[in-house]
Amino acid sequence: MLVDWPYEFPGAYWLDEREQQAVQDVLKHGSLFRYYGLGKVKYVDAFEAAARDFYGVRYALAVNSGTGALIASMAALGIGPGCEVIVPAFLWVASVGAVVQSNAIPVLCEVDDSLCMDPADLERKITPRTKLILPIHMAGSPCNMDAIMAVAKKHGIPVLEDCAQCNGGAYRGQTLGTFGKMAIFSLQLNKNMTCGEGGLIITNDEKLYYRAFSAHDMGLIRKDGRLAAPDPDAIAWGGGRRMSELCGAVAAVQIEKLPKIIGHMRNSNDRIKTLLQGTPGIEFRRSNDAAGDTGTFFIFMLENEAKALSAVEKMKAAGLHNVFRIADYGLHIYYNIPSLVGKVPLSPAGNPWSLAENAASAYGYEKGTCPKSDALFARSILLPIPSRLSTEQENAAAEAVKAAIYGS
């Protein structure tokens, strides 16, 4: 029997008349730009206010994408030529791309069996040029933030948390995004909450907030929606990364639904894991904090690469069409990113790789750079967990996994 397995898109399954009414309100009043329009603008402001409350922070800045949030945050943190930024081997292309866009050099760090940044390898990768640590709470699960923050504190290096794949998660009771100097979130369609395309920056540091604001807008700040000069420290070159009122209208509603969305995914993930508990040959991904996991992905490891390849093929044939061996998970794996492996420059001048400031930062990114991670990727399988599964779908998925393993 084929599994009736939906595509992921967690927040999209929860869109209803509330988002529709908010979008219609924006269109009705002709106020699509967040700072002014034919009528009153309010939705991006409302989303930022809700975000400050949800994450428990002083400042929240809505932007046009998770990539935009990364680039604006790195600008605020002063990342540029001569800087090294440590990123995990399991990531998303935008995370490493933002480093390159900043004319800095990415440094790859191994992941451990949680498939998040390995704190021990992080320590080994620190150099005098390390100016930022970018832990990524990958595939719905939190990093070991105690260990990562201990390394950061020891060396005096700021931390920018990438929470794009774990929005609403926590680590030991503390909301993800509140450990480092700054944090970013993505609101793209395939995220825990969505507005189609959007991003968010949070921080408790006023200076960093204004620097990020300036970088995301027009190089200045705003007062009552109009451009105004900030302190000299915050004057920058703006990137035009503002969130529109249409996206803000959806985001302001979705953030209220986020706990329920996460709850459904976590429950489904837990039920599937329970059904597979004790199955010979399965090793579950280790969680740094199961209670803080958002349940977005079910990940398990098999004995070797051959068994993982065979199992994925059988699972797809059984209807789990969006299952992946992690090694084949596209631009989430460092060696699958052609522009990174080939050190493609931003311009004919060869930057950032050719900059004199980066001459001491000579790194490779081809497969084999992170052998511990490569070995995990080869035998690990990832199944996205849609946010409105039925018990029948969960049961069928577990049976399909068992059948694929026993037959591999």
Side-chain angles (χ1 to χ4, degrees):
M1 183 180 72
L2 289 177
V3 182
D4 178 22
W5 199 252
Y7 282 98
E8 43 271 45
F9 314 140
Y13 288 107
W14 295 79
L15 295 170
D16 59 26
E17 65 279 357
R18 291 187 59 198
E19 287 92 345
Q20 294 173 25
Q21 290 168 3
V23 169
Q24 288 170 359
D25 186 49
V26 172
L27 296 174
K28 177 182 177 181
H29 291 94
S31 300
L32 283 69
F33 182 62
R34 76 159 291 183
Y35 291 114
Y36 47 79
L38 299 178
K40 185 177 180 180
V41 291
K42 57 186 178 181
Y43 286 104
V44 180
D45 283 349
F47 171 54
E48 290 175 341
R52 290 192 297 271
D53 182 62
F54 184 88
Y55 303 106
V57 294
R58 293 177 63 195
Y59 301 102
L61 178 64
V63 297
N64 66 341
S65 68
T67 305
L70 283 163
I71 293 173
S73 296
M74 290 185 192
L77 290 160
I79 301 305
C83 298
E84 293 179 358
V85 179
I86 300 179
V87 298
F90 189 28
L91 72 173
W92 174 239
V93 60
S95 303
V96 71
V99 179
V100 175
Q101 291 281 352
S102 302
N103 275 300
I105 298 296
V107 177
L108 292 170
C109 175
E110 297 272 19
V111 297
D112 56 25
D113 56 353
S114 72
L115 292 171
C116 291
M117 180 178 277
D118 181 353
D121 195 50
L122 169 63
E123 177 78 57
R124 289 189 287 267
K125 296 297 170 64
I126 302 288
T127 76
R129 300 175 298 281
T130 307
K131 302 302 178 185
L132 183 64
I133 297 169
L134 185 68
I136 305 176
H137 305 292
M138 276 301 295
S141 193
C143 295
N144 182 346
M145 292 310 296
D146 284 340
I148 290 171
M149 294 307 297
V151 174
K153 183 177 180 181
K154 174 183 175 182
H155 295 278
I157 301 168
V159 169
L160 169 61
E161 288 178 75
D162 185 333
C163 307
Q165 291 202 358
C166 201
N167 196 351
Y171 176 76
R172 297 191 174 180
Q174 183 173 337
T175 303
L176 295 182
T178 61
F179 289 87
K181 287 284 188 181
M182 306 178 80
I184 70 94
F185 301 83
S186 171
L187 310 181
Q188 187 262 350
L189 183 63
N190 202 22
K191 300 301 185 289
N192 291 354
M193 60 166 284
T194 186
C195 61
E197 184 74 281
L200 180 71
I201 301 168
I202 62 172
T203 183
N204 284 310
D205 187 308
E206 183 179 74
K207 181 177 286 189
L208 289 176
Y209 167 74
Y210 283 115
R211 285 174 61 87
F213 190 104
S214 178
H216 106 289
D217 195 0
M218 302 296 292
L220 303 171
I221 62 170
R222 288 183 184 263
K223 293 182 179 179
D224 298 322
R226 298 297 175 177
L227 292 170
D231 290 339
D233 179 65
I235 296 175
W237 289 104
R241 297 186 172 94
R242 299 170 296 270
M243 178 179 280
S244 74
E245 278 287 278
L246 286 170
C247 287
V250 177
V253 176
Q254 282 263 303
I255 195 169
E256 296 180 14
K257 300 177 179 180
L258 183 55
K260 185 174 287 187
I261 296 170
I262 292 169
H264 274 248
M265 290 189 295
R266 185 184 290 130
N267 288 340
S268 290
N269 200 318
D270 288 347
R271 282 195 288 268
I272 293 169
K273 186 174 181 179
T274 298
L275 291 167
L276 292 170
Q277 201 79 43
T279 301
I282 286 187
E283 174 189 347
F284 295 121
R285 172 195 195 178
R286 181 179 60 81
S287 178
N288 291 304
D289 181 0
D293 195 301
T294 61
T296 320
F297 296 88
F298 176 63
I299 297 178
F300 62 94
M301 294 84 166
L302 298 183
E303 183 181 351
N304 55 47
E305 179 177 10
K307 290 190 175 183
L309 283 165
S310 176
V312 166
E313 184 179 348
K314 290 178 171 63
M315 290 167 69
K316 285 183 179 291
L320 297 175
H321 51 86
N322 49 354
V323 68
F324 286 92
R325 188 176 64 114
I326 289 183
D328 304 317
Y329 197 33
L331 300 179
H332 292 92
I333 304 301
Y334 73 92
Y335 57 72
N336 290 339
I337 303 172
S339 50
L340 178 64
V341 174
K343 296 185 182 179
V344 175
L346 291 171
S347 77
N351 56 309
W353 320 105
S354 64
L355 295 175
E357 294 91 339
N358 293 330
S361 299
Y363 298 97
Y365 305 101
E366 65 282 350
K367 187 175 182 179
T369 300
C370 294
K372 177 182 174 181
S373 301
D374 295 354
L376 280 168
F377 299 155
R379 63 187 186 90
S380 297
I381 295 173
L382 174 147
L383 176 66
I385 300 296
S387 59
R388 282 191 181 272
L389 290 177
S390 66
T391 302
E392 291 74 21
Q393 288 170 321
E394 293 160 1
N395 292 339
E399 289 305 314
V401 171
K402 288 180 183 178
I405 294 169
Y406 290 145
S408 61

